[in-house]
Amino acid sequence: MTEQDTAAAVEPTEAELTTTGAVDDVEEDLDDETRDEADIAADYIEELLDICDLDGDIEIEERAGRVYLSVTDEGNALRVLAKPDTVTALQELTRIAVQAETGEFSRLILDVGGSRDARAEELQRLVDTAVERIEAGSPTAALPPMSSYERKLVHDLVAEKGFNSESEGEGRDRHTVITR
């Protein structure tokens, strides 16, 4: 093999360079397409806030393999979006947006203006009241229907108090029943 043959074998042709460049472009496109769930969700919420002409800071946290998105503001501008039913609807829309882009089911949790903390406190009061009824002699105490996330919080709160709980019902009627 001559030096020219060796140089030709080592140096890529112009066609090979063009193909390599195209592969790099495809890899960059794939990186854009496989954006992380949190980034997609944050972009979706940011666009929604822009449409509503609302300011808010978005914080992203990951706990136990689940993305938590918190939207906060300095004043009370987010109070309209912080209502429990509205947050649930926004969370579902955000999950759908993530799933549309990634093709995978999203389990992200959305909090707007501290609504999750406020709801957790409300659930604590519900559990406390239900436990008081059981301690006063009632065999069971049923709570109102709620989302699976809220029922999980309730199950944890009930267990901390040394009581038992089960979810009963189907769909929108699914609720938690507490027993001794």
Side-chain angles (χ1 to χ4, degrees):
M1 192 175 220
T2 68
E3 274 186 32
Q4 285 179 326
D5 292 335
T6 305
V10 173
E11 293 180 6
T13 65
E14 188 173 331
E16 289 171 329
L17 285 173
T18 304
T19 303
T20 304
V23 169
D24 289 342
D25 291 343
V26 169
E27 286 176 3
E28 286 177 22
D29 290 344
L30 284 176
D31 289 343
D32 290 344
E33 289 174 21
T34 58
R35 287 189 313 150
D36 159 90
E37 175 183 43
D39 291 335
I40 296 166
D43 288 347
Y44 181 81
I45 293 296
E46 186 173 340
E47 189 171 329
L48 176 80
L49 292 173
D50 286 345
I51 290 168
C52 296
D53 196 28
L54 295 172
D55 290 326
D57 296 320
I58 299 173
E59 294 178 24
I60 301 170
E61 189 178 340
E62 188 173 331
R63 289 183 254 154
R66 186 176 255 191
V67 172
Y68 287 77
L69 232 63
S70 296
V71 184
T72 57
D73 70 338
E74 294 291 322
N76 287 327
L78 295 176
R79 72 182 179 284
V80 173
L81 297 178
K83 294 178 181 175
D85 289 342
T86 306
V87 173
T88 299
L90 290 174
Q91 178 176 280
E92 287 307 309
L93 289 171
T94 306
R95 286 177 173 179
I96 290 168
V98 169
Q99 185 173 359
E101 190 160 330
T102 65
E104 295 180 19
F105 178 74
S106 171
R107 295 179 47 223
L108 74 87
I109 300 295
L110 178 64
D111 177 35
V112 179
S115 62
R116 292 283 176 196
D117 290 337
R119 181 63 175 155
E121 290 173 12
E122 184 179 338
L123 292 174
Q124 180 68 59
R125 286 191 297 275
L126 284 172
V127 168
D128 290 344
T129 302
V131 166
E132 287 173 9
R133 283 190 308 213
I134 292 171
E135 289 176 336
S138 179
T140 65
L143 300 181
M146 56 188 71
S147 71
S148 60
Y149 176 76
E150 291 173 337
R151 286 193 315 275
K152 167 72 170 103
L153 292 177
V154 166
H155 291 305
D156 292 346
L157 293 169
V158 169
E160 284 176 13
K161 293 193 169 285
F163 288 79
N164 299 311
S165 60
E166 286 186 21
S167 292
E168 294 182 1
E170 297 295 323
R172 292 186 157 267
D173 294 327
R174 195 140 175 89
H175 60 281
T176 307
V177 176
I178 302 170
T179 59
R180 189 165 282 283

